[in-house]
Amino acid sequence: MVTLTRIYTRGGDKGQTSLGDGARVPKHALRVEAYGTVDEANAVIGMTRLATRAHPQADSMLARIQNDLFDLGADLCTPLKQDEQPGQALRIVADQVTRLEAEIDAMNAELAPLASFVLPGGTEAAAQLHLGRTVVRRAERLMTQLAETEAVNPQAIAYANRLSDHLFVLARWLNKQAAGDVLWVPGANR
């Protein structure tokens, strides 16, 4: 368990931060951008949960996802080593990705197929989930960019990819229980 006795250290006052392995890097390093964006996604999901209190199943999924996002941040914060042994660092694992897939499949089975793109909106929770989805997509783009130059856990990238799908389907699932999705009408305002 993590114990924090002091919140500020002054260690970052000159624009650097420490990674999980102790290495010092600029605060604008791509790896820091990636896990910082994961943290941003987690904050959006935290705000979304304020609007999902009436939906215990959705709120329970989002609670698990928030915990997973801390795992994902820890994974990205600790550079993957070639000789790393299993369990040496906290990493996203295939079971976490599989759980998202199972939840997506269960929710999607209750939804009609899409005949148009969905606009972010509908219920408050659905609109916030769409915001979360876009932040997760940005994190995924940063992760894949990072993977071009540094080793990144492939399950971490798969998790981010599946999570954005999950948030999209969860938004649709919540909208189905209310007024429905807001659909794009191409050229509607010409």
Side-chain angles (χ1 to χ4, degrees), residues 24 28 82 141:
R24 299 287 291 170
H28 61 271
Q82 258 187 337
R141 289 190 303 271

Side-chain angles (χ1 to χ4, degrees), residues 138-157:
R138 180 163 29 98
E140 180 187 11
R141 289 190 303 271
L142 291 166
M143 291 165 64
T144 58
Q145 184 181 0
L146 178 64
E148 290 180 355
T149 58
E150 298 182 42
V152 175
N153 174 10
Q155 291 301 322
I157 294 171

